[in-house]
Amino acid sequence: MELKLQNGDYVSDGAAGLRRVEGAEALLQRVLFRLTARRAAFPFWETLGSRLWQLGTIPPAGRLPAARQYVAEALAEEPVSVEHVTLTEQGSRGFLTVELRYGSTPLSVTVEVP
C-alpha cells in the first residue's frame, strides 16, 4: 500500500490518518509521478522521472517519437507495458495520452506536456 497523493499533497482519510491506495490505483499514481517528475532531479534516484519536459525544444515532426522514447524510459522500472502513446496539441498546450497494460488490465493516463 502507498499513501494517496493529490496535487502533490497527501490525502487525509477523514480521521487522524492518511488515505492509502493499492493495486492499479497505486500503479497509476506512480506512473503519473514518473511521467511528470523531471528525470535526474532526484540525486539518489537518477532514473526516476521523464524527459517529457524537453518536448517543447524538439521540432514538431520529432515530438511523438521522442515522447515514445521518454515514456519508455520513465516507465521501464514499472510492471507495465506501453501499448500506445498519443500526443495532441491545442494551441500552446500539449497533452500526452499513454495507454498501458498491467497484466491483463488496460490502463490509460493523460498528462499535460510543454
Side-chain angles (χ1 to χ4, degrees):
M1 291 185 112
E2 300 176 23
L3 294 174
K4 169 84 174 167
L5 284 172
Q6 186 174 32
N7 299 323
D9 294 321
Y10 293 114
V11 177
S12 170
D13 65 1
L18 298 173
R19 183 164 173 235
R20 297 185 179 278
V21 293
E22 59 184 314
E25 187 178 3
L27 176 66
L28 280 176
Q29 181 173 282
R30 288 195 314 271
V31 164
L32 284 169
F33 184 78
R34 286 180 179 276
L35 293 176
T36 56
R38 285 188 175 206
R39 191 171 188 89
F42 300 90
F44 299 105
W45 198 352
E46 292 183 3
T47 60
L48 180 64
S50 75
R51 295 188 293 155
L52 289 171
W53 62 274
Q54 296 176 330
L55 286 179
T57 65
I58 297 172
R63 288 184 187 150
L64 182 57
R68 288 180 179 138
Q69 177 184 345
Y70 298 163
V71 167
E73 289 172 358
L75 302 181
E77 296 176 15
E78 291 294 340
V80 296
S81 59
V82 178
E83 301 284 314
H84 194 67
V85 176
T86 306
L87 183 61
T88 56
E89 296 182 38
Q90 297 173 352
S92 63
R93 297 170 58 186
F95 297 92
L96 183 80
T97 300
V98 181
E99 295 176 25
L100 307 163
R101 185 154 303 276
Y102 173 53
S104 62
T105 306
L107 303 170
S108 180
V109 295
T110 299
V111 295
E112 188 172 346
V113 293

